[in-house]
């Protein structure tokens, strides 16, 4: 079902990490490295097509810049985000420690770069304030029926 949601084959080792109230996968967790040893770009991946589309609409409407500005003016939000980023890294490092030589998950403590990563982390952890804000702003769906099904052939 996850491959059908994403429209492509998945690489590496992964598992469903969260499902919506109807049992449809919403987030997968990826092992930090692919089979060839190269780092995988994200640990938590948002798979719900409806939610991913709504988060993409937020991003294209300037939400990332507005939220980054909010971070610069709200010390409490920055502190809560730092805690969330530490949680994200600890969950990833529990599988395999990867150096954060690149940018931190979702952009880092001072800039929001990927709302999808923050939402995925919030859905599995409940500690990501940026993901929580995004879920509020997209009016997180409470679907009455599954948004996605795989039909067996």
């Amino acid at each position: 079902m996850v491959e059908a949601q994403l429209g492509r084959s998945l690489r590496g080792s992964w598992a469903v990490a969260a499902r919506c109230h109807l049992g449809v996968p919403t987030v997968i967790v990826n092992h930090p490295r692919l089979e060839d040893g190269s780092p995988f770009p994200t640990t938590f991946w948002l798979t719900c097509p409806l939610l991913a589309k709504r988060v993409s609409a937020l991003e294209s409407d300037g939400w990332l810049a507005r939220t980054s500005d909010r971070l610069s003016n709200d010390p409490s939000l920055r502190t809560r985000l730092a805690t969330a980023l530490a949680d994200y890294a600890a969950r990833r490092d529990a599988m395999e420690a990867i150096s954060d030589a690149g940018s931190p998950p979702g952009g880092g403590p001072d800039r929001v770069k990927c709302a999808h990563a923050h939402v995925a982390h919030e859905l599995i952890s409940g500690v990501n304030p940026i993901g929580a804000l995004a879920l509020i702003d997209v009016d997180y769906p409470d679907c009455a029926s599954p948004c996605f099904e795989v039909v067996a052939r």
Side-chain angles (χ1 to χ4, degrees):
M1 182 179 283
V2 172
E3 288 183 340
Q5 284 178 310
L6 298 176
R8 63 178 176 73
S9 296
L10 289 165
R11 301 178 308 153
S13 178
W14 60 276
V16 173
R19 295 176 182 271
C20 72
H21 68 286
L22 296 170
V24 177
T26 55
V27 177
I28 59 172
V29 59
N30 298 289
H31 190 274
R33 290 197 188 274
L34 294 170
E35 291 86 357
D36 67 3
S38 61
F40 195 83
T42 187
T43 303
F44 306 107
W45 193 295
L46 187 62
T47 63
C48 170
L50 178 60
L51 189 51
K53 182 177 180 178
R54 290 182 180 185
V55 172
S56 292
L58 269 187
E59 288 184 344
S60 67
D61 191 36
W63 189 89
L64 298 173
R66 289 190 306 275
T67 305
S68 292
D69 287 345
R70 185 171 174 182
L71 268 175
S72 67
N73 295 312
D74 186 340
S76 172
L77 183 60
R78 275 196 316 275
T79 299
R80 293 186 345 253
L81 178 56
T83 300
L85 294 175
D87 177 83
Y88 189 108
R91 289 171 187 262
R92 179 200 58 220
D93 291 350
M95 291 182 281
E96 181 178 341
I98 299 287
S99 168
D100 275 331
S103 62
D110 300 314
R111 179 175 77 113
V112 181
K113 184 174 128 182
C114 180
H116 294 82
H118 288 286
V119 167
H121 181 235
E122 171 63 10
L123 288 172
I124 64 99
S125 72
V127 300
N128 191 306
I130 302 303
L133 289 172
L135 287 170
I136 291 167
D137 288 347
V138 299
D139 191 26
Y140 181 52
D142 186 14
C143 304
S145 62
C147 63
F148 199 87
E149 294 182 55
V150 175
V151 178
R153 294 183 194 200

